[in-house]
Amino acid sequence: MDPQSLKTQYATSANLAARIALHQRFSTNSYGLQRWVFDQFDLSAGKRVLEIACGAGSLWRENLDRIPADLDLVLSDFSIAMVETTRKVLPDARFAVYALPTVPFADASFDLVIANHMLYHVDDRQRGLAEIRRVLRRGGALFAATNGADHLRELKELMLAFGIDAHDVSLSFTLENAEEQLRGVFDDIRREEYVDSLLVTEPDALLRYVASVSARGAEVVEARGEEMRTWIDERTRDGAFYVRKSTGSLIARSG
């Protein structure tokens, strides 16, 4: 996705919210992704944490009961709208507006940097990773959630069947190829996988997702929604449309 499309896509939190809703309502893993992600962190009072591309603050919203007291938390995003949305969730955190590969903080500033489902958007990824490594303290860690190559395959097939570009930018940084990219910057890398899928019982939920992806997606859903519902119905089994998911994380530590 080009930079202008990216800015348009995330000008408000509405498109992201539509996609999150599909996962929240129809995921088969009852232990939510954001809870699982939080489990991977080693957080304690006094630690300094930076999240890059915090989005609408879902990670923190779904773990408010688990945030340690006196955690030194800095949340950032290139979208002012996203920052303002997240500020309502965590008014006591500090906030910054910028985009990778820039990280406007001093060397060795953080114990943990979180970059979830966003590194595939960064064109100069190696420079961005080097900047993350620079701001990590010795022994600190980068936590990066991302998708596998097969993530949402059936949903992408729906989009392609109706001439909608699936915008699969995540292929540039997947569970399968991310470790090799990280090894150019970090010493110790571990991969974890989150097992899940979607069983979608409401075709309109899939259409809302498609409409949220791009202006083209919204136009096609508006013009050909009934055809798309028929396509979904023909592939629905036992009352649900199955969508595979491939999601997980890379944890990379500085030496």
Side-chain angles (χ1 to χ4, degrees):
M1 192 179 294
D2 64 84
Q4 185 55 50
S5 296
L6 194 63
K7 287 181 181 179
T8 301
Q9 175 64 215
Y10 294 102
T12 73
S13 60
N15 289 324
L16 181 60
R19 294 194 288 277
I20 289 173
L22 183 73
H23 293 281
Q24 288 179 329
R25 295 184 60 200
F26 300 106
S27 288
T28 59
N29 189 334
S30 60
Y31 195 73
L33 175 62
Q34 302 296 1
R35 300 289 285 187
W36 178 85
V37 164
F38 206 88
D39 287 346
Q40 315 303 310
F41 302 155
D42 178 20
L43 296 183
S44 57
K47 283 200 171 181
R48 196 165 193 225
V49 177
L50 168 67
E51 184 177 17
I52 299 173
C54 63
S58 296
L59 172 61
W60 308 100
R61 187 190 309 273
E62 296 184 28
N63 290 284
L64 285 173
D65 59 319
R66 308 169 73 191
I67 302 173
D70 299 322
L71 184 70
D72 189 354
L73 182 61
V74 181
L75 303 176
S76 66
D77 203 285
F78 78 94
S79 166
I80 294 175
M82 291 294 187
V83 166
E84 291 306 316
T85 297
T86 305
R87 195 189 302 273
K88 296 173 184 176
V89 180
L90 288 170
D92 294 330
R94 289 182 290 145
F95 293 86
V97 178
Y98 66 90
L100 277 181
T102 299
V103 184
F105 298 101
D107 295 358
S109 296
F110 298 97
D111 300 291
L112 173 67
V113 173
I114 303 165
N116 287 340
H117 292 101
M118 59 76 57
L119 286 170
Y120 40 71
H121 287 305
V122 181
D123 290 332
D124 194 349
R125 193 172 303 111
Q126 286 302 301
R127 180 183 160 202
L129 292 172
E131 277 289 276
I132 291 171
R133 169 80 184 249
R134 179 184 63 78
V135 301
L136 279 171
R137 293 169 176 165
R138 185 174 181 83
L142 162 66
F143 182 95
T146 193
N147 301 321
D150 268 354
H151 187 60
L152 304 183
R153 179 193 289 182
E154 292 76 12
L155 186 50
K156 293 169 187 173
E157 289 172 354
L158 164 64
M159 294 171 65
L160 292 173
F162 288 86
I164 304 167
D165 188 342
H167 290 302
D168 200 356
V169 294
S170 65
L171 291 178
S172 66
F173 189 83
T174 65
L175 292 175
E176 294 83 4
N177 64 30
E179 184 172 346
E180 181 179 355
Q181 297 177 57
L182 290 167
R183 287 209 179 279
V185 181
F186 292 90
D187 308 307
D188 178 26
I189 301 160
R190 186 176 84 250
R191 188 176 91 172
E192 300 287 347
E193 295 194 31
Y194 175 76
V195 179
D196 199 6
S197 62
L198 297 174
L199 288 177
V200 184
T201 55
E202 297 177 18
D204 281 354
L206 291 168
L207 299 191
R208 284 192 293 271
Y209 185 104
V210 173
S212 78
V213 168
S214 65
R216 168 66 177 166
E219 290 170 3
V220 173
V221 169
E222 177 69 22
R224 303 179 66 186
E226 287 305 316
E227 293 177 66
M228 296 177 79
R229 289 184 187 90
T230 299
W231 190 97
I232 294 166
D233 287 342
E234 289 173 349
R235 291 157 179 79
T236 294
R237 300 291 180 270
D238 298 321
F241 181 83
Y242 170 80
V243 181
R244 76 195 65 200
K245 291 173 71 172
S246 175
T247 302
S249 65
L250 287 301
I251 302 170
R253 297 192 177 277
S254 59

